[in-house]
Amino acid sequence: MWTSGRMSNAKNLFGLGVSLYFWGLMDLTTTVLSGSPRPLAEGQEDNLSDKLHQRMKRSWVWNQFFVLEEYTGTDPLYVGKLHSDMDRGDGSIKYILSGEGAGIVFTIDDTTGDIHAIQRLDREERSQYTLRAQALDRRTGRPMEPESEFIIKIQDINDNEPKFLDGPYVASVPEMSPVGTSVIQVTATDADDPTYGNSARVVYSILQGQPYFSVDSRTGLIRTALMNMDREAKEYYEVIIQAKDMGGQLGGLAGTTTVNITLSDVNDNPPRFPQKHYQMSVLESAPVSSTVGRVVAKDLDEGINAEMKYSLVDGDGLDVFDINTDPNYQVGIITVRKPLSFESKKSYTLKVEGANPHLEMRFLNLGPFRDTTTVHISVEDVDEPPVFEPSIYFVEVPEDVEIGTTIQIISAKDPDVTNNSIRYSIDRSSDPGRFFYVDITSGALMTARPLDREEISWHNITVLAMELNNPSQVGSVSVTVKVLDVNDNAPEFARFYEAFVCENAKAGQLIQTVSAIDRDDPQEGQHFYYSLAPEAANNPNFTLRDNQDNTAWILTRRSGFRQHEQNTFYLPILISDNGRPVLSSTGTLTVHVCSCDEEGMVMSCNAEAYVLPVSLSRGALIAILACIFVLLVLVLLILSMRRQRKQPYIIDEEENIHENIVRYDDEGGGEEDTEAFDIAAMWNPREAQLVVKNRQDMLPEIESLSRYVPQACVMDNNVHNYVLAKLYEADMDLWAPPFDSLQTYMFEGNGSVAESLSSLQSVTTDSDQSYDYLTDWGPRFKKLAEMYGATDSSGALW
């Protein structure tokens, strides 16, 4: 078989050129088998078969077929011809083609062996096809020769332009970079065969982006071409790169891509304040760390190159104000460092510096990379609450201090220039028990109730100071009161003591150990002294031994105790402390006489009943019970008569209630009756007698409230102490009149500068006071207008 790559003369000129190219490349080998086929005898066929097994000689040899891609003709493209030397041209040989693309891409004429391409070929999709060919006897279908394999290669043409597979590109380069600084390398790919001609030889050029950038024609590396490119002047560049095959010659295919180049920032611009003077104001009440104002230095750079660091470098407010840098907005925030006072200083001047913390050495010649500005801060006056001096109080007071005693002077002042008057009060939530009182004008802190360290040893109260002209301005201070201990509690037994003594107990036997407790807490510690009470000092039954360790032993003084004689003893024990003054109390020890066994174990403490020698008869028992019943009836009758004699005193609602509630069985004598109560005592307490003058004919059941108040308080020159004492006595007296009773006091105290405040004598003065305006107040004030308004000159004045 031989192969032919010749093309039919009917093909066009394009096919002729391809055929000439194949003839230059193809190595055509033809092997012709001699003789023509003829029938063989049976023996000859066997001999021929043996010879074939002995030497296998190929009857055809293939070389590669070549065919150009992208054929655009209308007829099938002729590829080549298959021919066997057994083919005598009579159509007895049938050619069969199989393998890749057989029957789809390539077809064969089964009679002539011509191979044609019936589809458009693209080398970039598939560069070669592997097929198998076989020659069969058309009549019998028997293979005439063994099947052989051959290859059809697709020959490339320049039908693909270069492509930038990674485009478009994004790159950046620092601003102010030297000429020739590498930016990015672009790569174009050509799908044509690089081993055939110049179809895949790519050359790069720049179409847009000059004179700022250049590109290497061979490698595609983009570099800077202009010096001192400033990002602040122009930041973004769009560069267009072209890649052309065929070595850039005329007729080559080209592809383009876009490269977006950004100039990255460097620190080449120093910061500058847009204004050299700032004017700010702040209230003197601004708290510490509050913001006063903001300053900002402009920097044309960005990112880390635009970061700022603000600081105070000079001025008279370095210790009063501070400045911090906001990392998000790169502004300087001026804050209050210490409390301000308009009265102390009204204005401050600061010198603020803004600097770049990140510098580049090669740009230091463009500096300095810092700038300064001046800030004037004015302090504005506000109405401030009163300020206490000192800011906290600690007071120690003994628990036996008298009511109304001044324990501390609380002082506050108005820090403003006006220096308004101050009024003091106590925050009652801090003193719910109302143990203290503060004078409204002087700030004197006084006791209002008795103090007891054993109940409350510490008092934490809050004193308020309010401006008289502006009640909304209130200051406060904490006052800690420590109640000091005094010896006001007598020692007493730690618990109830009950002892047992055996009938067979011996003298000197220990029957009980007692101890005591004291609610007081002396600084030198507690020490108790024990002894028998004076009435039991000569007790013949028991004795006491003080152990000098705050305990005492109770011992038997004798033996021979008997239950039937006395089964219970009550032993009074005197307990004294070591305080000043010495306080003592008497505790009772109950001792039971019990019958015990030989080992001293208690068996029984109940006295045995003894049988009377003479038994009572039934009649005697009935007589005794009848007497007891009669006695009970008499007692109940007496109590009932006494209850009826006492009738409750009912107050008439219309009756005016004064200080005294007195009931008499006789009718009073009106205003002439002055025996009930001497009212002069209230007009001038200093001249009141210590002995109260009582009514001679009838004693009142309820005494005057003024008698409950100690005379020492009455004689005190301080009216406030006097009222506090009376108020406390009225609160603590459970048998005093009701709380809604009216009590009248006319004691003004000593040395009152106001003298009499009564207006009863004003009618005797030549006053020009006019009350004509009362007629304009409407009908509700008609009565007052008639009484005090203008009258005719002929009317009487009353």
Side-chain angles (χ1 to χ4, degrees):
M1 177 176 286
W2 58 277
T3 62
S4 175
R6 294 174 297 176
M7 299 187 65
S8 173
N9 292 331
K11 307 301 179 181
N12 54 21
L13 294 178
F14 178 78
L16 178 61
V18 174
S19 299
L20 293 176
Y21 175 77
F22 277 119
W23 279 109
L25 295 177
M26 190 186 333
D27 180 14
L28 180 61
T29 303
T30 305
T31 303
V32 180
L33 297 178
S34 61
S36 59
R38 60 179 182 268
L40 298 177
E42 181 178 357
Q44 292 176 341
E45 292 179 357
D46 296 337
N47 294 332
L48 179 59
S49 176
D50 294 337
K51 292 179 180 180
L52 289 176
H53 284 86
Q54 293 174 4
R55 183 172 63 94
M56 294 295 298
K57 180 180 179 181
R58 294 281 308 264
S59 60
W60 55 2
V61 177
W62 307 97
N63 279 334
Q64 296 177 344
F65 287 95
F66 293 88
V67 60
L68 287 175
E69 64 173 339
E70 302 296 342
Y71 172 69
T72 59
T74 58
D75 297 333
L77 177 62
Y78 181 73
V79 177
K81 184 179 182 63
L82 299 179
H83 185 73
S84 175
D85 57 356
M86 293 183 181
D87 187 1
R88 298 184 180 278
D90 57 358
S92 61
I93 300 299
K94 181 180 180 181
Y95 297 97
I96 298 176
L97 188 65
S98 62
E100 297 175 349
I104 301 175
V105 180
F106 301 99
T107 61
I108 188 171
D109 189 331
D110 60 355
T111 301
T112 63
D114 293 334
I115 302 175
H116 292 82
I118 61 175
Q119 288 190 4
R120 186 176 180 178
L121 301 177
D122 189 353
R123 190 202 65 83
E124 287 72 36
E125 293 182 0
R126 190 164 191 153
S127 61
Q128 67 180 18
Y129 294 86
T130 301
L131 296 98
R132 294 182 298 277
Q134 192 172 18
L136 303 178
D137 188 331
R138 188 182 296 275
R139 180 172 56 87
T140 63
R142 185 167 60 100
M144 300 300 293
E145 293 187 27
E147 184 180 59
S148 294
E149 184 177 270
F150 66 96
I151 297 174
I152 299 178
K153 287 192 173 182
I154 310 302
Q155 188 64 36
D156 183 51
I157 64 173
N158 189 18
D159 61 340
N160 291 278
E161 73 277 3
K163 294 182 179 180
F164 294 91
L165 302 180
D166 297 330
Y169 295 87
V170 178
S172 65
V173 62
E175 62 174 334
M176 312 296 290
S177 296
V179 176
T181 302
S182 298
V183 180
I184 191 175
Q185 184 175 12
V186 297
T187 303
T189 303
D190 196 323
D192 293 328
D193 189 359
T195 63
Y196 173 67
N198 293 328
S199 299
R201 182 185 173 191
V202 179
V203 176
Y204 300 95
S205 62
I206 184 169
L207 300 182
Q208 177 181 315
Q210 294 176 334
Y212 307 104
F213 301 95
S214 63
V215 64
D216 190 295
S217 61
R218 184 176 60 86
T219 61
L221 180 62
I222 301 175
R223 296 185 174 91
T224 57
L226 189 65
M227 64 182 304
N228 296 332
M229 286 191 294
D230 192 359
R231 183 195 67 86
E232 288 72 31
K234 187 176 181 180
E235 183 176 2
Y236 301 101
Y237 295 85
E238 185 179 73
V239 179
I240 298 178
I241 303 297
Q242 175 184 270
K244 190 174 184 180
D245 59 9
M246 298 299 292
Q249 298 178 4
L250 186 63
L253 303 178
T256 60
T257 187
T258 301
V259 183
N260 296 311
I261 301 177
T262 302
L263 295 183
S264 60
D265 185 62
V266 297
N267 193 8
D268 60 340
N269 293 279
R272 292 293 179 263
F273 283 100
Q275 57 188 91
K276 290 299 181 180
H277 298 279
Y278 288 86
Q279 185 67 38
M280 302 179 183
S281 62
V282 60
L283 297 176
E284 65 171 335
S285 60
V288 176
S289 300
S290 61
T291 300
V292 178
R294 291 174 170 82
V295 296
V296 58
K298 300 295 184 180
D299 194 328
L300 298 178
D301 297 322
E302 65 179 8
I304 191 174
N305 299 312
E307 289 186 1
M308 301 296 299
K309 177 65 176 179
Y310 295 93
S311 59
L312 302 178
V313 295
D314 197 6
D316 56 357
L318 298 180
D319 58 338
V320 181
F321 299 94
D322 199 359
I323 188 169
N324 301 309
T325 303
D326 186 346
N328 297 323
Y329 300 98
Q330 301 302 323
V331 299
I333 304 175
I334 300 177
T335 58
V336 179
R337 187 175 182 180
K338 290 183 178 180
L340 303 174
S341 175
F342 174 82
E343 292 72 25
S344 299
K345 191 173 180 61
K346 297 178 175 60
S347 64
Y348 297 87
T349 300
L350 300 174
K351 188 175 183 180
V352 180
E353 179 185 80
N356 288 139
H358 306 287
L359 303 178
E360 295 191 25
M361 301 301 297
R362 60 193 179 108
F363 298 118
L364 290 181
N365 59 327
L366 302 177
F369 286 83
R370 63 183 66 246
D371 195 16
T372 58
T373 186
T374 303
V375 180
H376 298 281
I377 301 177
S378 300
V379 181
E380 297 182 358
D381 187 26
V382 296
D383 192 2
E384 300 176 277
V387 178
F388 287 89
E389 294 180 358
S391 60
I392 189 172
Y393 288 87
F394 177 76
V395 183
E396 292 182 340
V397 57
E399 61 178 325
D400 60 348
V401 64
E402 294 182 0
I403 296 176
T405 302
T406 300
I407 61 175
Q408 180 68 45
I409 301 297
I410 307 298
S411 176
K413 68 176 183 179
D414 184 7
D416 298 323
V417 178
T418 57
N419 194 17
N420 293 323
S421 299
I422 306 299
R423 294 294 180 265
Y424 299 91
S425 62
I426 294 180
D427 184 359
R428 285 307 172 190
S429 62
S430 64
D431 184 27
R434 297 180 180 268
F435 289 95
F436 301 95
Y437 176 84
V438 64
D439 188 81
I440 191 172
T441 57
S442 66
L445 184 63
M446 298 172 285
T447 57
R449 291 184 59 187
L451 303 179
D452 191 352
R453 187 202 67 85
E454 287 72 34
E455 292 184 0
I456 303 177
S457 59
W458 291 86
H459 296 269
N460 295 312
I461 62 176
T462 301
V463 178
L464 307 177
M466 177 183 65
E467 291 185 11
L468 181 61
N469 297 335
N470 188 2
S472 63
Q473 296 296 331
V474 179
S476 63
V477 68
S478 177
V479 181
T480 301
V481 180
K482 180 181 180 181
V483 182
L484 301 179
D485 182 57
V486 296
N487 191 26
D488 58 346
N489 291 278
E492 57 187 11
F493 278 143
R495 59 181 180 86
F496 173 75
Y497 286 103
E498 188 176 20
F500 302 92
V501 61
C502 296
E503 290 180 322
N504 54 0
K506 298 180 180 180
Q509 182 176 342
L510 174 64
I511 62 172
Q512 183 66 48
T513 301
V514 296
S515 61
I517 58 174
D518 194 335
R519 299 178 61 189
D520 295 322
D521 186 17
Q523 295 181 355
E524 61 275 8
Q526 292 181 340
H527 186 74
F528 304 125
Y529 302 95
Y530 300 89
S531 63
L532 293 178
E535 62 270 20
N538 298 322
N539 188 291
N541 302 312
F542 304 99
T543 184
L544 182 144
R545 179 185 298 175
D546 192 343
N547 298 324
Q548 300 298 319
D549 60 354
N550 292 340
T551 64
W553 287 351
I554 308 301
L555 307 173
T556 57
R557 188 185 290 261
R558 65 177 179 85
S559 60
F561 293 93
R562 295 292 180 265
Q563 283 185 343
H564 63 274
E565 295 178 358
Q566 186 175 352
N567 62 346
T568 303
F569 295 91
Y570 298 98
L571 184 65
I573 299 176
L574 182 64
I575 311 171
S576 303
D577 58 14
N578 60 335
R580 297 180 182 177
V582 176
L583 298 181
S584 62
S585 67
T586 302
T588 301
L589 173 64
T590 302
V591 182
H592 298 282
V593 179
C594 303
S595 58
C596 305
D597 56 13
E598 296 179 356
E599 297 178 357
M601 300 299 294
V602 176
M603 297 177 59
S604 174
C605 295
N606 296 326
E608 296 180 358
Y610 292 92
V611 180
L612 294 176
V614 180
S615 60
L616 296 177
S617 63
R618 182 178 300 178
L621 292 176
I622 294 175
I624 293 174
L625 293 177
C627 293
I628 293 174
F629 178 75
V630 172
L631 290 176
L632 290 176
V633 172
L634 290 176
V635 171
L636 292 176
L637 181 60
I638 293 172
L639 292 177
S640 177
M641 292 177 65
R642 293 187 62 182
R643 182 176 300 177
Q644 291 180 0
R645 182 177 299 176
K646 291 185 178 181
Q647 295 180 356
Y649 179 72
I650 301 177
I651 301 176
D652 190 358
E653 294 181 356
E654 298 180 356
E655 189 174 289
N656 191 9
I657 301 175
H658 292 281
E659 183 187 14
N660 304 309
I661 301 175
V662 183
R663 184 180 66 81
Y664 302 99
D665 288 341
D666 58 345
E667 182 177 355
E671 295 181 355
E672 298 178 359
D673 187 359
T674 59
E675 297 296 329
F677 180 72
D678 188 5
I679 198 66
M682 294 301 298
W683 284 87
N684 191 358
R686 289 183 294 274
E687 298 178 0
Q689 299 296 327
L690 295 179
V691 179
V692 179
K693 185 178 180 180
N694 295 330
R695 187 180 178 90
Q696 301 299 326
D697 54 349
M698 185 69 179
L699 291 177
E701 294 184 0
I702 302 178
E703 298 179 355
S704 171
L705 289 178
S706 60
R707 299 183 62 186
Y708 295 137
V709 182
Q711 293 298 327
C713 295
V714 176
M715 298 305 293
D716 192 356
N717 292 333
N718 192 338
V719 179
H720 189 75
N721 294 353
Y722 172 74
V723 175
L724 284 178
K726 291 182 68 65
L727 179 62
Y728 174 72
E729 293 293 340
D731 289 341
M732 299 304 295
D733 191 354
L734 300 179
W735 303 102
F739 295 103
D740 57 353
S741 62
L742 177 62
Q743 301 188 31
T744 304
Y745 305 102
M746 302 183 66
F747 172 53
E748 291 188 356
N750 211 5
S752 175
V753 297
E755 297 181 351
S756 177
L757 300 180
S758 174
S759 61
L760 297 178
Q761 298 177 356
S762 61
V763 296
T764 62
T765 62
D766 297 333
S767 176
D768 296 334
Q769 179 69 33
S770 175
Y771 298 96
D772 294 342
Y773 57 84
L774 294 175
T775 58
D776 300 331
W777 285 13
R780 294 186 178 181
F781 297 92
K782 180 179 179 181
K783 188 65 176 176
L784 288 177
E786 293 175 356
M787 295 174 61
Y788 295 96
T791 59
D792 297 335
S793 58
S794 59
L797 179 62
W798 55 275

